[in-house]
Amino acid sequence: MEKKEIKLDSVLESLGPYGRYNLLNFVLLLFPVLLSSFFECGYIFEAQEQTYRCKIYGCEERFNDTSWLKYAIPTNNEKNRPESCLRYAPNNVTLNQCVPEEFSNKTLPCESFVYEPGETFVKEFDLGCKEWMRALVGTVHNSGMFAAMLVTGAISDRYGRRVAVGLAGTASFIFGIARAFSPDYYTYLTMHFLEAALGGGLYPSAYVFAVELVGLKQRVIVSAMCNMTFVVGVVLIALLAWFVNNWRHYILILYSPAIMVGIYVWFMNESARWLLSKGRKDEAIKTLKKAAKINNLDPRVLELDSLCDPLLKSDSQTVDKKSQLSKAIRSSIIWKRLMICSFLWMTCSLVYYGLSINSVSLSSNKYVSFMLVVLVEIPAYIVVVIVLDKYGRKKTMIANFMTCSITSLLFAFLPRSDWWSIPLYLIGKWSVTLTYSSVYIYVSEVFPTNMRQTLISFCSTAGRIGSLIAPLTPLLSQYHQSMPTVIFGGMCFISSLLVIMLPETRNMRLPDTIEEAEELSKMKTSTDST
């Protein structure tokens, strides 16, 4: 009699997706997800825009009031405050009374600056009227994240999910803390790049680790848990920045907890799915037996001795990682899927981070504006759990890409009004958040286990192109106020068309091999019709 083979998804269902073992691991993995929100978005307030004006020698030292400012510095009527980078030329070498007669109508650039109160990044490094240097912080950060994606997948797939999480957490702690003690601007940029490059894989590594703990039916819920944890972290960033006005203290508070991840992750069990994908069946069974024991289950009920090894189903008994990558590249199905998913990810990154960064100018209180735009993500992550399983991945992504495109273009071309401009902006952010979550889930479902982290990292690396550009989009509004949102709307429209070319993955188990991943496209017609 032929021995019955048991698939891992069936074992995970029998084990219980919300048993004590998984709940403990969820807590341990959601903590690095929370920290990754600090590390990925913290720079928004760390190097935030500051209010400053020219320093007028001869007036600052003599008078306690600032009534003379209107004579010495032009007024920015749009912002209703003194110009940041211009001053009126004095008629005399020295100023005596700082009255209108002592200033001409000719303007000159500032020589030095008076900054708003607080120990800010811009003030300490004297970046007044050097907006490009401040915006460069976000680009350097995302350049580091770009570099991280090139190596994170390889580390995770070769050495394991646990190693990837541990190394990323430790690197974030070391270089994040070092950045807080930077003596100058260029040292700061160097530390920022190294922290992002070596620790930027924290979120994708923890995410994949968490998703692989559960079976088919719980993937969307686990993804939503990760996403909502990330949102909570971003809200905490805004609250922290609101009350901590010293940028060095702000960094120390954000990065200190990372050392805990670097320590406790080595006491966690490796992903059983990853172990199986590497042919380490005995270790996978050992891990599953530990899980059963913690959940008070008899391991014999799980029939682990009959557990199917996905690598044995392929043409070769021993599958070399390099040959798998070569096979993936030769597959036109995988190649096309990889290119489209990469563009979708790039669009989501650009629009998501672009809308978040530009939100600080929505109202007078930048912290409230930012939190409002972030909090709208929570209902999106709740809705995504429902709509992805009810309507499928493709329909959800198409509808929300189109919604974001329409709202972005309306926001760009209609006259600004607080009554509907902010709601339009929030609907756009809600749509791209729901789409981003859908794309993240979808990409983890269309690639095989033995190449999943590598191919996800490739898509994420392409996505970093979007996040590289996002910090620079506020500079575009200096040329035309609507330019950023027009770009956002156009990218979303193109992405909605590309989704049509992809297969549906609703109610499909995670593919373990390249052949199974290719099979998804062959089942496209029957799946889309259901």
Side-chain angles (χ1 to χ4, degrees), residues 370-384:
F370 185 80
M371 284 190 284
L372 191 62
V373 169
V374 169
L375 286 172
V376 77
E377 297 179 26
I378 292 180
Y381 291 134
I382 295 173
V383 170
V384 77

Side-chain angles (χ1 to χ4, degrees), residues 313-352:
K313 296 171 66 178
S314 62
D315 296 332
S316 173
Q317 293 290 325
T318 57
V319 183
D320 179 73
K321 177 69 181 290
K322 186 175 180 180
S323 67
Q324 284 291 298
L325 179 59
S326 177
K327 185 186 293 187
I329 293 174
R330 288 197 306 270
S331 169
S332 60
I333 295 175
I334 298 295
W335 183 251
K336 182 181 77 171
R337 193 178 298 170
L338 188 63
M339 292 299 101
I340 294 176
C341 287
S342 296
F343 187 83
L344 299 184
W345 204 312
M346 181 174 65
T347 299
C348 288
S349 294
L350 172 63
V351 179
Y352 176 88

Side-chain angles (χ1 to χ4, degrees), residues 11 16 28 82 150 204 248-249 266 280 394 404 413 473 492 525:
V11 173
L28 295 177
L150 297 175
R248 294 184 186 273
H249 296 167
W266 306 110
R280 294 158 64 175
K394 287 182 63 175
C404 187
F413 293 113
T473 55
C492 286
T525 304

Side-chain angles (χ1 to χ4, degrees), residues 160-216:
R161 314 316 191 201
R162 185 176 62 172
V163 172
V165 172
L167 292 179
T170 303
S172 295
F173 171 76
I174 292 172
F175 293 102
I177 297 298
R179 190 165 85 243
F181 295 97
S182 300
D184 57 69
Y185 175 77
Y186 293 103
T187 301
Y188 169 87
L189 286 185
T190 302
M191 291 299 104
H192 209 142
F193 177 82
L194 291 174
E195 179 268 315
L198 300 176
L202 187 60
Y203 182 89
S205 300
Y207 174 86
V208 170
F209 201 162
V211 166
E212 291 185 347
L213 286 171
V214 297
L216 169 69

Side-chain angles (χ1 to χ4, degrees), residues 358-399:
N358 286 276
S359 68
V360 296
S361 61
L362 275 180
S363 71
S364 57
N365 190 315
K366 56 190 172 185
Y367 304 106
V368 173
S369 296
F370 185 80
M371 284 190 284
L372 191 62
V373 169
V374 169
L375 286 172
V376 77
E377 297 179 26
I378 292 180
Y381 291 134
I382 295 173
V383 170
V384 77
V385 174
I386 301 170
V387 297
L388 281 182
D389 283 336
K390 186 173 183 180
Y391 300 107
R393 281 53 165 160
K394 287 182 63 175
K395 290 179 181 177
T396 300
M397 289 190 287
I398 292 171

Side-chain angles (χ1 to χ4, degrees), residues 28 57 89 99 110 148 154 172 278 364 400 404 431 476 486 494 497 526:
L28 295 177
Y57 293 99
V99 293
C110 302
S172 295
K278 292 298 175 183
S364 57
N400 283 283
C404 187
S431 300
L476 296 176
V486 169
I494 295 171
L497 300 179
S526 60

Side-chain angles (χ1 to χ4, degrees), residues 8-9 12 212 214 271-277 449 452 512:
L8 179 60
D9 282 316
L12 294 176
E212 291 185 347
V214 297
S271 163
R273 191 181 293 276
W274 178 82
L275 290 171
L276 278 177
S277 75
T449 298
R452 183 171 299 123
D512 289 317

Side-chain angles (χ1 to χ4, degrees), residues 134-170:
R134 186 191 66 82
L136 187 62
V137 171
T139 301
V140 167
H141 169 84
N142 287 306
S143 297
M145 297 293 289
F146 186 94
M149 295 304 105
L150 297 175
V151 296
T152 297
I155 292 173
S156 181
D157 283 340
R158 184 177 180 85
Y159 300 106
R161 314 316 191 201
R162 185 176 62 172
V163 172
V165 172
L167 292 179
T170 303

